[in-house]
Amino acid sequence: MNRTKIIEGGAERKAVDTEGLQQMLMSGRKTAVEIGTAAEARIQVGRRVLWNVDKVQRYLDAISE
């Protein structure tokens, strides 16, 4: 199976993989998955897991107030 190409910069993303979520949150894998799960942002497509960026952003805004 071929690895998905990573596209740098450009347009804002609607969904990211777990590695992208880690980079977005500047955290480790465990913390990123915990935040994504708490935000109910998990999207599963086959075996691939993506995270809805908008839901994560709204969740972070809500808990930071």
Side-chain angles (χ1 to χ4, degrees):
M1 181 182 296
N2 295 332
R3 179 169 165 81
T4 304
K5 292 181 184 177
I6 298 174
I7 301 170
E8 296 294 329
E12 293 185 27
R13 298 172 188 233
K14 294 289 184 186
V16 293
D17 59 4
T18 304
E19 185 178 321
L21 184 63
Q22 287 177 252
Q23 291 173 358
M24 185 178 90
L25 297 173
M26 296 177 62
S27 68
R29 181 179 181 84
K30 183 179 181 214
T31 302
V33 170
E34 285 177 4
I35 291 171
T37 302
E40 298 178 353
R42 183 181 166 122
I43 304 167
Q44 181 129 12
V45 181
R47 291 177 50 190
R48 188 169 184 182
V49 175
L50 299 172
W51 302 94
N52 183 317
V53 173
D54 292 335
K55 284 187 176 183
V56 172
Q57 289 291 348
R58 277 188 258 129
Y59 174 75
L60 292 174
D61 290 341
I63 65 169
S64 67
E65 295 177 342

